[in-house]
């Protein structure tokens, strides 16, 4: 295979985090290329083109860290942009910042091997081989789809579509009998979009979720103007919140306020756009069972008000605490179950026996299907990094090093993998992902500049620094109700994946303070040669 000229940095992934990393590293004068599996930029916003796919954090916050020119020239039309808008936006960013000339599309990494003598990474792809001093993996936390395993699924004669592999030209499901499996953020978006279109919709629900209203709305021209004029302030305000959203947690404890005030505040959050129950709730709601019970009681009553059939409503009420799975946003999800063409099948009451050529058979009924939509999620957070075939010093395989769960220093570097960085992966940025992760891209740029200045060729991570960080991440989750949760955050949605908490739970303000401390201390946690 042809080898490219030596690069300073190879970036893997041209989603929102890869694009930003490319922009900042190239602007620093480095020789950089990005490789991307897809034929276009966008990552998540390229692949997830299922009906109803949309952001559930404010568009003008999520994607507005590229440059002031981009912010001034781009006009958001809705509080929460849909997939098509996000795809257009990221194409606009790539063009405006002239990023495409540095991206190789339809290029999939097959291995990524550290060359000890040459002190470079040798990255094999389906097209060519790259040599790069540094590699930045920006492959995303939700980019490897998980497909369920059921008897007879391969015999099904209808269409099977995973939401993250939706055909580019769309699919016309009008008049069909369709089942959607999965009721996470994706399932809920696709269910409420398909219900008015298809002839019959079956919702195959394993675990119900606490969904709260998105309250999306078009941005008025005055609001658009205001957003353009106040970008810098909005940026500062969101960077000051714990998860880089618009609002922050309330300082009172849930049970300290009166029952009336609590109800009023929950109602206020219910009317407000966005993930407010997640980001603006009472501060103890994820650590105190009684507080969380009060919230669940409020949300249960809302479901019972909105779903006419009490038995259906009961099946839609989760048994787990709010926030134990990432809470989805909805628009008219609960009302969908009042439609005569929609059936809710609770798989806990009537498990699937098998699929067959015709459709699906549960313990209670046979359901003929034209199309099965799998909204069954992702091998989240670590899956995309582990597929790169990474081998570091002494042939150390990332897949073995992470066998019991991810091991990183601050979500940025991994011990035994010199000059290999992660943006937006495990144990670091968590919350409004790109808004948190762009700081890490800047941090990597500064580290490379520091190395150039000092004449260092390699940077590795001391095992002790890494172990301390892993312990810190684990201690944080054990202080919250999430310690007992089952979700992709623990890897428990992937058969055979070791249970390990994958994310960092402290505030992003604190996370950035810690990163700054590392920089100011001239990276003494790292090892240079
Ligand atoms: P999620 O949140 O992982 O949801 C996947 C859904 O699929 C969830 O309801 C699962 O039920 C269900 N599922 C998964 N496997 C099966 C099988 N084998 N049988 C039945 N049901 C199954 O993925 P999303 O794509 O919705 O969202 C991912 C993130 O994207 C989201 O958190 C936001 O951050 C954006 P379970 O709960 O495991 O019982």
């Amino acid at each position: 295979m042809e080898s490219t000229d030596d690069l300073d940095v190879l970036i893997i992934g041209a989603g929102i985090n890869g694009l930003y990393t490319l922009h900042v590293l190239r602007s620093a004068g480095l020789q950089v290329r990005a490789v991307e599996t897809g034929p276009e930029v966008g990552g998540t916003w390229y692949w997830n083109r299922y009906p109803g796919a949309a952001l559930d954090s404010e568009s003008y916050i999520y994607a507005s860290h590229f440059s002031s020119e981009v912010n001034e020239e781009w006009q958001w039309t809705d509080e929460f942009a849909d997939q098509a808008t996000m795809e257009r936006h990221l194409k606009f960013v790539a063009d405006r910042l002239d990023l495409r000339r540095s991206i190789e599309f339809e290029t999939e990494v097959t291995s990524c091997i550290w060359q000890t003598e040459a002190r470079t990474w040798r990255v094999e792809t389906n097209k060519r081989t790259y040599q790069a001093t540094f590699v930045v993996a920006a492959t995303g936390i939700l980019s490897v789809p998980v497909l369920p395993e059921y008897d007879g699924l391969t015999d099904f004669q209808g269409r099977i579509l995973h939401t993250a592999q939706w055909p580019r030209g769309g699919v016309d499901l009008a008049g069909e009998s369709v089942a959607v499996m999965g009721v996470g953020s994706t399932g809920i978006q696709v269910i409420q979009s398909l219900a008015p279109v298809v002839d019959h919709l079956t919702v195959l629900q394993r675990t119900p979720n606490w969904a709260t209203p998105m309250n999306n709305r078009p941005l008025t021209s005055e609001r658009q103007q205001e957003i353009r004029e106040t970008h810098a302030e909005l940026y500062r305000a969101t960077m000051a919140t714990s998860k880089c959203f618009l609002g922050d947690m309330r300082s009172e404890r849930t049970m300290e306020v009166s029952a009336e005030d609590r109800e009023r505040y929950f109602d206020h959050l219910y009317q407000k756009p966005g993930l407010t129950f997640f980001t603006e709730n009472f501060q103890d709601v994820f650590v105190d069972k009684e507080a969380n019970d009060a919230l669940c009681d409020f949300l249960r009553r809302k479901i019972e008000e909105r779903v006419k059939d009490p038995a259906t409503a009961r099946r839609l009420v989760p048994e787990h605490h709010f926030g134990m799975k990432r809470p989805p946003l909805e628009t008219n999800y609960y009302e969908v179950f009042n439609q005569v063409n929609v059936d809710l099948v609770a798989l806990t009451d009537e498990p699937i026996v098998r699929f067959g050529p015709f459709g699906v058979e549960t313990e209670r009924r046979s359901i003929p299907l034209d199309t099965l939509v799998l909204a069954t999620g992702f091998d989240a957070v670590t899956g995309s990094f582990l597929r790169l075939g990474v081998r570091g010093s002494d042939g150390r395989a990332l897949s073995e090093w992470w066998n019991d769960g991810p091991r990183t220093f601050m979500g940025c570097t991994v011990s035994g993998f010199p000059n290999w960085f992660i943006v937006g992966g495990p144990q670091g940025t968590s919350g409004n992902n790109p808004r948190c992760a762009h700081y890490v891209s800047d941090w990597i740029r500064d580290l490379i500049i520091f190395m150039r200045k000092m004449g260092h060729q390699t940077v590795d991570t001391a095992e002790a620094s890494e172990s301390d960080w892993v312990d810190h991440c684990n201690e944080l989750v054990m202080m919250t109700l999430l310690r007992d949760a089952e979700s992709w955050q623990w890897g428990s949605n992937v058969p055979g994946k070791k249970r390990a908490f994958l994310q960092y739970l402290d505030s992003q303000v604190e996370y950035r303070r810690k990163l700054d401390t590392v920089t100011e201390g001239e990276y003494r946690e790292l090892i240079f040669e």
Side-chain angles (χ1 to χ4, degrees), residues 18 23 35 120 149 155 172 186 200 205 215 227 277 291 316 328 400 412 430 440-441 445 458 475 478:
H23 174 53
V35 289
T120 57
E149 289 171 15
D155 301 333
D172 184 8
T186 303
H200 191 271
Q205 168 192 279
N215 294 317
I227 288 168
F277 281 94
L316 287 166
E400 282 162 30
C412 302
S430 68
V440 171
S441 307
R445 173 202 56 205
T458 63
E475 280 157 15
M478 295 313 282

Side-chain angles (χ1 to χ4, degrees), residues 9-10 12 109 111-114 121-123 132-139 382 384-392 398 401-402 407-409 411-423 426 443-444 447-448 451 458-461 526:
V9 189
L10 183 77
I12 309 175
V109 170
S111 70
C112 192
I113 316 271
W114 176 246
W121 285 94
R122 180 181 168 87
V123 181
T133 309
F134 299 93
V135 167
V136 180
T139 44
T382 50
S384 70
F385 301 94
L386 290 171
R387 282 159 54 111
L388 299 173
V390 186
R391 282 190 181 271
L398 189 69
W401 193 241
W402 283 10
R407 301 186 55 76
T408 72
F409 175 61
C412 302
T413 60
V414 185
S415 177
F417 298 82
N419 294 7
W420 198 79
F421 301 114
I422 295 171
V423 171
W443 186 84
I444 292 169
L447 172 55
I448 294 175
M451 288 174 67
T458 63
V459 56
D460 200 348
T461 306
L526 305 177

Side-chain angles (χ1 to χ4, degrees), residues 44-172:
T44 286
W45 299 106
Y46 174 82
W47 297 107
N48 288 269
R49 47 184 68 243
Y50 59 84
L55 261 178
D56 55 13
S57 67
E58 291 75 4
S59 332
Y60 48 92
I61 303 297
Y62 176 90
S64 62
H65 48 276
F66 282 95
S67 74
S68 49
E69 292 79 17
V70 167
N71 290 340
E72 271 149 36
E73 291 167 27
W74 179 264
Q75 192 139 299
W76 295 106
T77 52
D78 293 284
E79 196 80 34
F80 305 96
D82 62 12
Q83 177 273 331
T85 307
M86 283 307 300
E87 188 184 4
R88 261 199 323 278
H89 177 69
L90 292 174
K91 285 178 178 169
F92 168 78
V93 168
D95 291 335
R96 184 67 181 80
L97 302 178
D98 190 21
L99 299 177
R100 283 178 199 281
R101 67 182 162 86
S102 304
I103 306 173
E104 312 277 355
F105 292 102
E106 298 183 85
T107 302
E108 186 163 5
V109 170
T110 51
S111 70
C112 192
I113 316 271
W114 176 246
Q115 314 289 301
T116 305
E117 289 298 308
R119 298 182 166 200
T120 57
W121 285 94
R122 180 181 168 87
V123 181
E124 302 275 358
T125 73
N126 58 333
K127 290 204 173 148
R128 61 177 69 167
T129 303
Y130 296 85
Q131 303 281 351
T133 309
F134 299 93
V135 167
V136 180
T139 44
I141 60 168
L142 296 159
S143 45
V144 180
V146 173
L147 303 174
E149 289 171 15
Y150 283 105
D151 276 355
L153 194 52
T154 49
D155 301 333
F156 178 52
Q157 303 271 295
R159 220 190 263 117
I160 301 183
L161 298 168
H162 190 285
T163 46
Q165 296 165 332
W166 207 263
R168 231 183 148 183
V171 189
D172 184 8

Side-chain angles (χ1 to χ4, degrees), residues 150 177-183 191 200-208 309 311-316 333 336-337 341-355 360-369 372:
Y150 283 105
S177 184
V178 176
V180 176
M181 178 180 285
V183 294
I191 287 163
H200 191 271
L201 181 66
T202 305
V203 175
L204 300 170
Q205 168 192 279
R206 191 162 65 182
T207 317
D309 173 40
T312 305
R314 247 191 325 274
R315 280 181 279 142
L316 287 166
Y333 178 62
V336 159
F337 297 96
N341 68 330
V342 177
D343 281 328
L344 174 64
V345 173
L347 299 178
T348 37
D349 298 342
E350 46 173 317
I352 290 173
V353 179
R354 69 178 66 79
F355 281 81
V360 61
E361 190 186 319
T362 73
E363 281 185 0
R364 292 194 196 151
R365 52 187 138 171
S366 283
I367 306 165
L369 297 173
L372 171 66

